Amino acid sequence: MTLKLGVIGTGAIGQEHIRRCNNVLQGAKVVAVSDINVEGARAALQRLNIEAEVYQDGHQVINSPNVDAVLVTSWDPTHEEFTLAAIAAGKPVFCEKPLALSADGCRRIVDAEVKHGKRLVQVGFMRPYDSGYRALKKVITDGEIGEPLMLHCAHRNQSVGENYTTDMAITNTLIHELDVLRWLTEDDYKSVQVVFPRVTSKSHAKLKDPQIVLFETQKGIRIDVEIFVNCAYGYDIQCEVVGEEGIAKLPEPSAIQMRKNARLGNAILTDWKDRFIDAYDVELQAFINDVKAGQLTGPSAWDGFAASVAADACLKAQNSGAIEPVEMPPRPTFYNK
Amino acid sequence: MTLKLGVIGTGAIGQEHIRRCNNVLQGAKVVAVSDINVEGARAALQRLNIEAEVYQDGHQVINSPNVDAVLVTSWDPTHEEFTLAAIAAGKPVFCEKPLALSADGCRRIVDAEVKHGKRLVQVGFMRPYDSGYRALKKVITDGEIGEPLMLHCAHRNQSVGENYTTDMAITNTLIHELDVLRWLTEDDYKSVQVVFPRVTSKSHAKLKDPQIVLFETQKGIRIDVEIFVNCAYGYDIQCEVVGEEGIAKLPEPSAIQMRKNARLGNAILTDWKDRFIDAYDVELQAFINDVKAGQLTGPSAWDGFAASVAADACLKAQNSGAIEPVEMPPRPTFYNK
Amino acid sequence: MTLKLGVIGTGAIGQEHIRRCNNVLQGAKVVAVSDINVEGARAALQRLNIEAEVYQDGHQVINSPNVDAVLVTSWDPTHEEFTLAAIAAGKPVFCEKPLALSADGCRRIVDAEVKHGKRLVQVGFMRPYDSGYRALKKVITDGEIGEPLMLHCAHRNQSVGENYTTDMAITNTLIHELDVLRWLTEDDYKSVQVVFPRVTSKSHAKLKDPQIVLFETQKGIRIDVEIFVNCAYGYDIQCEVVGEEGIAKLPEPSAIQMRKNARLGNAILTDWKDRFIDAYDVELQAFINDVKAGQLTGPSAWDGFAASVAADACLKAQNSGAIEPVEMPPRPTFYNK
Amino acid sequence: MTLKLGVIGTGAIGQEHIRRCNNVLQGAKVVAVSDINVEGARAALQRLNIEAEVYQDGHQVINSPNVDAVLVTSWDPTHEEFTLAAIAAGKPVFCEKPLALSADGCRRIVDAEVKHGKRLVQVGFMRPYDSGYRALKKVITDGEIGEPLMLHCAHRNQSVGENYTTDMAITNTLIHELDVLRWLTEDDYKSVQVVFPRVTSKSHAKLKDPQIVLFETQKGIRIDVEIFVNCAYGYDIQCEVVGEEGIAKLPEPSAIQMRKNARLGNAILTDWKDRFIDAYDVELQAFINDVKAGQLTGPSAWDGFAASVAADACLKAQNSGAIEPVEMPPRPTFYNK
């Protein structure tokens, strides 16, 4: 039984997911797509050598009787609408981040899903599917380093464009840590503070870069995340967990060690797309498998909501300079595992 | 278009490949299997929840009109016969190593394939599909370390059973290096010598362990391979290429670095099956894709023959203690790329 | 010309320095010692097979016409008195940390030295003499990583005794970072904040362990120092400097890499005395050489004062939970280099 | 009591040792020197700001009543003569390598020393004083990796001049491994073979570079040493010991790890003088201390002889291409420890 997918939005990520589903993954195929630019959608399918229904309106994809499950890869402001529509149609939906433009929007999705009575939504956070993070989580849950007390993290990009502003360090960059660190620690944020080091000369007028975001969790874990998006040297994701018994560190990406030109070392990635490229495959395959098994297990609408609430607190902390609370309502039992 | 596969032999490796084709890989499914133990074959299919024709005789699989391509995973002594039969039937065939029990047998397959006029055979050497070896080869072919001059390699197992004899260090263990190092250097062996260090106390009566195999290639590269199959500490594959400009080293498997109990380090694999687990998937997916594209590109019958000739020379060198020539006939232009 | 040294206080550190000066270092010898326990002092000299004048009162050492320079290794509360006396006598003095029990005490020494008109005091901070920190500083001053923006540091001990209290994490442990990070960055602290993660179960009633101390410097560098004195796994000093162009990291202590028992790694030190053992030699040799060259260059009374002021601010921040200013008066031009 | 040293030969190494003894080490001073170029010797002393007797003839240094012990740092062909003269005078002598120009010459020194009845000679092999090799030996003798079975070594120089010939790879380069590997394994060489990979394009007419030297020891350990003196990338000494229980590796020189320009790594030394710079200090300090203690413990005349015998066998193996025996006479009990 092949899972028949509909894809809403055939921009860069949409095309990437279509290619992935039809040429790489197992057990699914894309049978319908939509894009406000219908001709662009047709051209994309032709390039990918894929036959599928083509619509202008995402709701047509959702409602197509051929479509078993939906991928939302459209313009961010439309995510909430299409995800809610998929829930209304009772169809599983994989929605790229952000789930919605606001915490309130995420909450509406949570409420709709809870009302529906069964999980239908997976948010496109791929890091929990990265083999390095999974190995790190296993070390923690196996008790190899004892109870986690502190996390030291960094999210560094080689450079960003002029249109990247200070708040985007939270909403576009830190958002991945906001999700994966909750998942890693199985904990929720309690408060957050943002401090600004001297600004790198490689930044520009609208961006205070780097930033350090400091969290306290409900269990009392302290997390520091350095965000440095003009770090110059490469794309680099670091995560070190300090536990009562020892320390575990996210692996560096595999690379050829070389001795050359009086240096011993290896290449660092420079393109973020290469860093989690395998994780995207694993993530979407897991969605396909989980849909077919009748039980979603990946990042939920609640996880999307939680990341959104935390991001809002971070933005407030950027502006206030103070320690800001992260006000999470109680988790519906619906989302307990 | 799904490629329909027939699998001859449903032992451990056969079942593993069936599972892989049907549950992990893309674009193929197993439609027929055979095993001299028909009931065992049926039981295996049931466990895997797969429906397929079941035969007692591999030739029935090859000749089934439903079968587009064949996987030979039967008892080693039958590999040559079934591979020849697949060639005769004009069907692509993936044959697990060894391609045949002797260099002569491999040669017969080469001759049959050349006579057929088109590549139909891929041998089950998976290391060229390992991401580490591929990255290493890229570094070499990109000229990053200049012309290769020396290779320092090691193939270490934690331990082997009592039935593992000195010659098996060549035929079962070194055989992988014999293939992958030819592929890595794009070179052929010229001579080989084997030296025996003092024997580890962890070995047993029929096994001189460790051994060091020393090759000279046609281009004059010197290769040393340490084979140590009771190394006690883990399963460990090392490969370091010394070039005119620098040195490149096969990456260690990705692992969580830990600080614990006054040690800084990471786990070493102990089970060989975990080391190249991803490579098996990539290897078989490549076979499937290449068959569908109408052009095999993986390890060829000639590569199987070359490994067999080299292994014979190694065995001779084990016994003689002398430097033994590796007598390779000229490569048919058929196998030029 | 051999420099004749007087040592005040023949406890553990005193004896260690006597041994070092007479048996390891070059160009000096201990000619006089004092201890309130005169018999103990005599016994120590006998064990070390060293002949020297023995006094009960440190002032007698300072005033001995045989003594060219003084080492103060007595009980902490006496450091200020003896250092002031050495200045009054116009004799160079190496005083183990702390220079005085309070910032005010340090300031009195600074004022006396400035009044004297020439540097006579070196404080026993040894990390600037560690080869790793020196190499790290060279990388920074050579501009290899651009302007430093952030420092991520850790000071971890395997365990501490029941008498170690929360404030001692500052006064006994962080005190080394307080000095070496000023030296490394050539900068002064502007403010400090202390946050407390959940307490490790390996701590005890009087100690909140771990702690994270967050500094902002005058130039705007942000520094975080994790202090974790019951980290269980070893003695570990980490320092990573994030600059505009790249990141440089304090080297791990040299160690034999081993593959054993399915682990790849090396030993971590467990005894702090082993970590900077070479630095103690270099430090005292530098003092000897500088005294003979007529110009002290090591950690000054002003550096001792600065560390003391910073420590006071840290202690205040531990209690207040707030961001506390580090109020440093202007540096006397006397201490400019 | 200061040990009074006489130094024969005030060339580069001689001056370096004079500086070392008088300005760095403890417990000795140079009181007499000689050089066939007396004016050069005087100028050197003046530059070093050292007062000492100056002679033209090394025998005058040996016979000066002021001189307690002798350092031979003169032209290689004179080493044997001066070392024999020192033995005749009953004075301890530190002789830079080579101890003599031939194995026969070394043997004459051995015989003279044995006849004298007490060790007087230390050969200038410094690697046993390197902290890395010492740590490696400790791991072995502590039994941490079980009985050593194989050693994989490399001695690489960035480049050598036109006057460096194929045999010098043995006599100037490998000579250090010939000594230190005997010391490390507490074993003697039984046979040796040399193989030549394709020659690097960076070599020149008189030099086959690289070379691989293969030893079997008396205990059956197999050792391979890659000698590559135009390796282009730096000065690099590698030594890996494979034992029955695990593997231990000589540490890389301590270096600052950096992330910069899309590379993660550290500098490799390029100048051989930097690699063992600390070992030279430790070596000579040990000689001084051992002379004062009345018992030499460093590399002996026998060790110099053994290295010379092994080097002769290597040279023969370079030319014959065959496995050549290393014919060591029985060790006089005089040299047992």
Side-chain angles (χ1 to χ4, degrees):
Chain A
M1 187 212 73
T2 298
L3 186 72
K4 287 172 286 174
L5 298 172
V7 177
I8 300 174
T10 60
I13 297 179
Q15 291 181 40
E16 189 61 15
H17 280 332
I18 294 169
R19 178 199 61 78
R20 185 168 278 122
C21 291
N22 279 41
N23 301 344
V24 180
L25 304 181
Q26 225 269 348
K29 69 173 176 179
V30 174
V31 299
V33 308
S34 71
D35 202 280
I36 47 168
N37 175 356
V38 173
E39 285 317 302
R42 277 191 223 285
L45 288 181
Q46 204 161 11
R47 272 197 305 280
L48 290 164
N49 197 25
I50 285 170
E51 283 181 43
E53 304 163 12
V54 181
Y55 301 103
Q56 184 158 28
D57 182 351
H59 293 286
Q60 292 173 290
V61 167
I62 294 169
N63 295 323
S64 165
N66 269 332
V67 167
D68 299 325
V70 178
L71 309 190
V72 178
T73 54
S74 51
W75 193 41
D76 287 4
T78 65
H79 287 189
E80 179 184 345
E81 174 190 342
F82 289 127
T83 301
L84 285 172
I87 295 171
K91 294 192 179 179
V93 53
F94 176 95
C95 180
E96 270 304 326
K97 72 172 187 62
L99 185 55
L101 289 185
S102 66
D104 283 350
C106 294
R107 183 76 219 206
R108 282 188 289 269
I109 291 168
V110 161
D111 291 342
E113 189 179 42
V114 170
K115 191 170 165 204
H116 173 79
K118 190 183 166 192
R119 271 199 61 186
L120 288 175
V121 180
Q122 175 168 336
V123 191
F125 289 127
M126 77 294 190
R127 288 209 197 163
Y129 294 101
D130 172 63
S131 58
Y133 274 110
R134 289 175 93 88
L136 184 57
K137 181 158 187 178
K138 185 172 183 336
V139 160
I140 298 170
T141 53
D142 286 355
E144 289 200 55
I145 58 167
E147 284 298 312
L149 305 175
M150 293 169 281
L151 275 72
H152 305 304
C153 308
H155 188 140
R156 301 186 189 117
N157 289 61
Q158 196 165 27
S159 65
V160 294
E162 295 276 324
N163 60 334
Y164 186 108
T165 49
T166 298
D167 58 318
M168 290 168 69
I170 304 301
T171 53
N172 282 34
T173 300
L174 186 72
I175 192 73
H176 290 287
E177 270 78 14
L178 288 176
D179 177 66
V180 79
L181 300 180
R182 279 183 73 246
W183 169 83
L184 192 65
T185 58
E186 299 181 359
D187 200 355
D188 269 303
Y189 307 112
K190 184 175 165 191
S191 69
V192 61
Q193 178 186 5
V194 180
V195 300
F196 292 96
R198 65 196 295 195
V199 175
T200 176
S201 60
K202 299 180 190 302
S203 194
H204 48 78
K206 297 178 194 156
L207 174 60
K208 289 202 274 183
D209 183 38
Q211 310 175 25
I212 301 173
V213 187
L214 305 161
F215 296 97
E216 185 177 12
T217 71
Q218 292 294 340
K219 291 182 195 156
I221 299 173
R222 290 284 179 169
I223 301 173
D224 44 83
V225 185
E226 175 199 321
I227 310 171
F228 189 8
V229 293
N230 289 290
C231 81
Y233 74 82
Y235 183 72
D236 196 4
I237 301 298
Q238 298 285 329
C239 183
E240 191 179 47
V241 183
V242 183
E244 290 189 334
E245 302 281 353
I247 298 181
K249 197 170 168 300
L250 189 68
E252 302 283 337
S254 184
I256 297 289
Q257 189 199 66
M258 289 178 56
R259 294 171 190 266
K260 193 182 167 186
N261 295 337
R263 302 287 302 172
L264 167 60
N266 58 264
I268 293 176
L269 297 174
T270 52
D271 187 341
W272 62 269
K273 286 189 290 289
D274 296 333
R275 177 62 179 86
F276 293 106
I277 195 161
D278 291 341
Y280 288 108
D281 288 352
V282 180
E283 171 196 41
L284 214 47
Q285 185 70 63
F287 175 72
I288 292 165
N289 295 351
D290 284 355
V291 167
K292 290 166 91 166
Q295 182 62 56
L296 291 185
T297 60
S300 68
W302 182 258
D303 295 324
F305 171 63
S308 188
V309 168
D312 286 350
C314 291
L315 292 170
K316 200 168 168 194
Q318 277 188 332
N319 290 313
S320 71
I323 299 170
E324 298 290 347
V326 180
E327 311 270 18
M328 275 292 284
R331 183 206 302 248
T333 54
F334 178 86
Y335 291 104
N336 291 348
K337 298 191 182 143
Chain B
M1 188 210 71
T2 297
L3 186 72
K4 287 172 286 177
L5 298 172
V7 177
I8 301 175
T10 59
I13 297 179
Q15 291 181 40
E16 189 63 13
H17 279 333
I18 294 169
R19 179 198 61 78
R20 187 169 275 124
C21 292
N22 280 39
N23 300 345
V24 179
L25 306 181
Q26 224 269 347
K29 68 173 175 178
V30 174
V31 299
V33 307
S34 72
D35 203 280
I36 47 167
N37 175 357
V38 173
E39 285 317 302
R42 277 192 223 285
L45 288 180
Q46 205 161 9
R47 271 197 305 279
L48 291 163
N49 197 24
I50 285 171
E51 283 182 42
E53 304 163 12
V54 181
Y55 301 103
Q56 184 158 28
D57 182 350
H59 294 285
Q60 293 172 289
V61 167
I62 293 168
N63 295 322
S64 166
N66 268 334
V67 166
D68 300 324
V70 178
L71 309 191
V72 177
T73 53
S74 51
W75 194 39
D76 288 3
T78 66
H79 287 189
E80 180 185 345
E81 173 191 343
F82 289 127
T83 300
L84 286 171
I87 294 171
K91 293 192 178 178
V93 54
F94 177 94
C95 179
E96 269 305 326
K97 70 174 188 63
L99 184 55
L101 288 185
S102 67
D104 284 349
C106 294
R107 183 76 218 207
R108 283 189 288 270
I109 291 168
V110 161
D111 291 342
E113 189 178 42
V114 170
K115 190 170 165 205
H116 174 78
K118 190 183 166 191
R119 274 198 60 186
L120 288 175
V121 180
Q122 175 167 337
V123 191
F125 289 128
M126 77 295 190
R127 287 210 198 162
Y129 295 101
D130 172 63
S131 59
Y133 274 110
R134 290 175 92 88
L136 184 56
K137 181 157 187 179
K138 184 173 186 332
V139 160
I140 298 170
T141 54
D142 285 356
E144 287 201 55
I145 58 167
E147 285 297 312
L149 305 176
M150 295 169 280
L151 274 71
H152 305 305
C153 309
H155 189 141
R156 304 189 187 113
N157 289 61
Q158 196 165 25
S159 65
V160 294
E162 295 276 325
N163 60 333
Y164 187 108
T165 49
T166 299
D167 58 316
M168 289 168 68
I170 304 300
T171 53
N172 281 34
T173 299
L174 188 71
I175 192 72
H176 291 287
E177 269 78 15
L178 288 176
D179 177 67
V180 78
L181 300 181
R182 278 183 74 245
W183 168 85
L184 193 66
T185 59
E186 299 182 358
D187 200 355
D188 268 304
Y189 307 111
K190 185 175 165 191
S191 70
V192 63
Q193 178 185 4
V194 179
V195 300
F196 290 96
R198 65 195 298 194
V199 175
T200 176
S201 60
K202 298 180 190 301
S203 193
H204 48 79
K206 297 179 195 157
L207 174 60
K208 289 202 275 184
D209 183 40
Q211 311 175 26
I212 301 173
V213 187
L214 304 161
F215 296 97
E216 185 176 11
T217 72
Q218 292 294 341
K219 291 181 194 157
I221 300 172
R222 291 283 180 171
I223 301 174
D224 44 82
V225 185
E226 175 199 321
I227 309 172
F228 190 6
V229 294
N230 288 292
C231 81
Y233 73 81
Y235 184 72
D236 196 6
I237 301 297
Q238 297 285 327
C239 183
E240 189 179 49
V241 183
V242 182
E244 291 189 332
E245 303 281 354
I247 298 180
K249 196 169 170 299
L250 189 69
E252 302 284 338
S254 184
I256 296 289
Q257 189 199 66
M258 288 178 57
R259 293 169 192 266
K260 193 182 166 185
N261 294 337
R263 302 286 303 173
L264 168 59
N266 57 264
I268 292 177
L269 296 175
T270 51
D271 187 341
W272 62 268
K273 287 190 290 289
D274 296 334
R275 177 62 179 85
F276 294 106
I277 196 162
D278 291 341
Y280 289 108
D281 289 351
V282 179
E283 171 195 44
L284 215 48
Q285 185 70 64
F287 175 73
I288 292 164
N289 295 351
D290 285 354
V291 167
K292 291 167 92 167
Q295 181 62 58
L296 290 186
T297 60
S300 69
W302 183 257
D303 295 324
F305 171 63
S308 189
V309 169
D312 286 350
C314 292
L315 292 170
K316 202 169 168 192
Q318 277 188 332
N319 289 312
S320 71
I323 299 170
E324 298 291 347
V326 180
E327 312 269 20
M328 275 291 285
R331 183 206 302 248
T333 54
F334 179 86
Y335 291 104
N336 290 346
K337 295 184 185 149
Chain C
M1 185 210 71
T2 297
L3 185 72
K4 287 172 286 176
L5 298 172
V7 176
I8 300 174
T10 60
I13 296 179
Q15 291 181 41
E16 189 62 15
H17 279 333
I18 294 169
R19 179 199 61 78
R20 185 169 276 125
C21 291
N22 279 40
N23 300 345
V24 179
L25 305 181
Q26 223 268 351
K29 68 173 175 178
V30 174
V31 298
V33 306
S34 70
D35 203 281
I36 48 168
N37 174 358
V38 174
E39 285 319 302
R42 276 192 224 285
L45 289 180
Q46 205 159 9
R47 272 196 305 277
L48 291 164
N49 196 24
I50 285 169
E51 283 183 43
E53 304 163 12
V54 180
Y55 302 102
Q56 184 156 28
D57 181 351
H59 293 285
Q60 292 172 290
V61 167
I62 294 168
N63 295 323
S64 165
N66 268 333
V67 167
D68 300 324
V70 178
L71 308 191
V72 177
T73 53
S74 51
W75 194 41
D76 288 3
T78 66
H79 286 189
E80 180 185 346
E81 173 190 343
F82 289 127
T83 300
L84 286 171
I87 294 172
K91 294 191 177 178
V93 54
F94 177 95
C95 179
E96 269 305 326
K97 72 174 186 62
L99 184 57
L101 289 185
S102 66
D104 284 349
C106 294
R107 181 77 218 206
R108 282 188 289 269
I109 291 169
V110 161
D111 291 342
E113 189 178 43
V114 169
K115 191 171 165 202
H116 174 77
K118 190 182 166 195
R119 274 198 60 186
L120 288 175
V121 180
Q122 176 167 338
V123 191
F125 289 126
M126 77 297 189
R127 288 211 197 161
Y129 294 101
D130 171 64
S131 59
Y133 274 111
R134 290 174 92 89
L136 185 56
K137 181 157 186 179
K138 184 171 185 331
V139 161
I140 298 170
T141 54
D142 286 356
E144 287 201 54
I145 58 167
E147 285 297 313
L149 305 176
M150 295 169 279
L151 275 71
H152 304 304
C153 309
H155 188 140
R156 304 189 187 114
N157 290 59
Q158 196 165 26
S159 64
V160 295
E162 295 276 324
N163 60 334
Y164 186 108
T165 49
T166 298
D167 58 315
M168 289 168 70
I170 304 302
T171 53
N172 282 33
T173 299
L174 187 72
I175 192 73
H176 290 287
E177 270 79 16
L178 288 176
D179 178 65
V180 79
L181 299 180
R182 278 184 74 245
W183 168 84
L184 192 66
T185 58
E186 300 182 358
D187 201 354
D188 269 303
Y189 306 111
K190 185 175 164 191
S191 70
V192 62
Q193 177 185 6
V194 179
V195 299
F196 291 96
R198 66 197 293 194
V199 175
T200 177
S201 61
K202 299 180 190 300
S203 192
H204 48 79
K206 297 179 195 156
L207 173 60
K208 288 202 275 184
D209 184 38
Q211 310 176 25
I212 301 173
V213 187
L214 305 161
F215 296 98
E216 184 176 12
T217 72
Q218 292 294 340
K219 291 181 194 157
I221 299 172
R222 289 283 179 169
I223 300 172
D224 43 84
V225 186
E226 176 200 320
I227 309 171
F228 190 8
V229 294
N230 289 291
C231 81
Y233 73 82
Y235 184 72
D236 196 5
I237 302 297
Q238 298 285 328
C239 183
E240 189 178 51
V241 182
V242 182
E244 291 189 334
E245 302 281 354
I247 298 181
K249 196 168 169 302
L250 189 69
E252 301 284 336
S254 184
I256 297 289
Q257 188 199 66
M258 288 179 56
R259 291 168 195 267
K260 194 183 166 185
N261 295 337
R263 301 288 302 173
L264 168 60
N266 58 264
I268 293 176
L269 297 175
T270 51
D271 187 342
W272 61 267
K273 287 189 290 289
D274 296 333
R275 177 62 181 85
F276 293 106
I277 196 163
D278 291 341
Y280 288 109
D281 289 351
V282 179
E283 171 195 42
L284 214 49
Q285 185 70 63
F287 175 72
I288 291 165
N289 294 352
D290 284 353
V291 168
K292 290 168 91 167
Q295 182 61 56
L296 290 185
T297 60
S300 68
W302 182 258
D303 295 324
F305 171 63
S308 188
V309 169
D312 286 351
C314 291
L315 292 170
K316 201 167 167 194
Q318 276 187 333
N319 289 311
S320 72
I323 299 170
E324 298 290 347
V326 180
E327 311 269 19
M328 276 292 285
R331 183 206 302 248
T333 54
F334 178 85
Y335 290 104
N336 291 347
K337 293 183 186 152
Chain D
M1 187 210 70
T2 298
L3 185 72
K4 286 171 289 177
L5 298 172
V7 177
I8 300 174
T10 59
I13 297 179
Q15 290 180 41
E16 189 61 14
H17 278 334
I18 295 170
R19 179 198 61 76
R20 186 169 276 123
C21 291
N22 280 40
N23 300 345
V24 180
L25 305 182
Q26 224 267 349
K29 70 173 174 179
V30 174
V31 299
V33 306
S34 72
D35 202 282
I36 48 169
N37 175 357
V38 174
E39 284 318 301
R42 276 192 223 286
L45 289 180
Q46 203 160 11
R47 272 195 306 278
L48 291 163
N49 197 25
I50 285 170
E51 283 182 42
E53 303 163 13
V54 180
Y55 300 104
Q56 184 157 26
D57 182 351
H59 292 286
Q60 292 173 290
V61 166
I62 293 169
N63 294 323
S64 166
N66 267 334
V67 167
D68 299 325
V70 178
L71 309 190
V72 178
T73 54
S74 50
W75 194 41
D76 287 4
T78 65
H79 286 189
E80 180 185 345
E81 174 190 343
F82 290 128
T83 300
L84 286 171
I87 295 172
K91 294 191 178 177
V93 54
F94 176 95
C95 180
E96 268 304 325
K97 71 169 184 68
L99 185 55
L101 289 187
S102 67
D104 284 349
C106 293
R107 182 77 219 208
R108 282 189 288 271
I109 291 169
V110 162
D111 291 342
E113 190 179 42
V114 170
K115 191 170 165 203
H116 175 79
K118 190 183 166 192
R119 272 198 62 186
L120 288 175
V121 180
Q122 176 167 336
V123 192
F125 288 127
M126 77 295 191
R127 286 210 199 162
Y129 295 101
D130 172 63
S131 58
Y133 274 110
R134 291 174 92 88
L136 184 56
K137 182 158 186 179
K138 185 173 187 329
V139 160
I140 298 170
T141 54
D142 286 356
E144 288 200 55
I145 58 166
E147 284 298 312
L149 305 176
M150 294 169 280
L151 274 72
H152 304 304
C153 309
H155 188 141
R156 303 189 187 114
N157 289 61
Q158 196 165 27
S159 65
V160 294
E162 294 276 325
N163 59 334
Y164 186 108
T165 50
T166 299
D167 57 315
M168 290 169 69
I170 305 301
T171 53
N172 281 35
T173 300
L174 188 72
I175 192 72
H176 290 288
E177 269 79 16
L178 288 176
D179 178 66
V180 78
L181 300 180
R182 278 184 75 246
W183 168 83
L184 192 65
T185 58
E186 299 182 358
D187 201 353
D188 269 304
Y189 306 112
K190 184 175 167 192
S191 70
V192 64
Q193 178 185 6
V194 179
V195 298
F196 291 97
R198 67 196 295 195
V199 175
T200 175
S201 60
K202 298 180 190 303
S203 193
H204 50 77
K206 297 179 195 156
L207 174 59
K208 289 202 274 183
D209 183 40
Q211 309 175 27
I212 301 173
V213 188
L214 304 161
F215 296 98
E216 185 176 11
T217 72
Q218 292 294 340
K219 289 182 197 158
I221 299 173
R222 291 282 179 169
I223 301 173
D224 43 84
V225 185
E226 175 199 321
I227 310 172
F228 190 7
V229 293
N230 289 291
C231 80
Y233 73 81
Y235 183 72
D236 196 6
I237 301 297
Q238 297 286 328
C239 183
E240 189 179 49
V241 183
V242 182
E244 291 189 334
E245 302 283 353
I247 298 182
K249 196 170 170 299
L250 189 70
E252 301 284 337
S254 184
I256 296 289
Q257 188 200 66
M258 289 177 55
R259 293 169 192 266
K260 193 183 167 186
N261 295 336
R263 301 287 302 171
L264 168 60
N266 58 262
I268 292 176
L269 296 175
T270 52
D271 188 342
W272 61 269
K273 288 190 289 291
D274 296 334
R275 177 62 180 84
F276 293 107
I277 196 161
D278 291 343
Y280 288 108
D281 289 351
V282 179
E283 171 195 41
L284 214 49
Q285 185 71 62
F287 175 73
I288 291 165
N289 295 351
D290 284 354
V291 168
K292 292 168 91 167
Q295 182 61 56
L296 290 187
T297 60
S300 69
W302 183 257
D303 295 325
F305 171 64
S308 189
V309 168
D312 286 350
C314 291
L315 292 170
K316 203 169 167 194
Q318 276 188 332
N319 289 313
S320 70
I323 299 170
E324 300 289 347
V326 181
E327 311 269 19
M328 275 291 286
R331 184 207 301 249
T333 54
F334 178 86
Y335 291 103
N336 291 347
K337 292 179 187 155

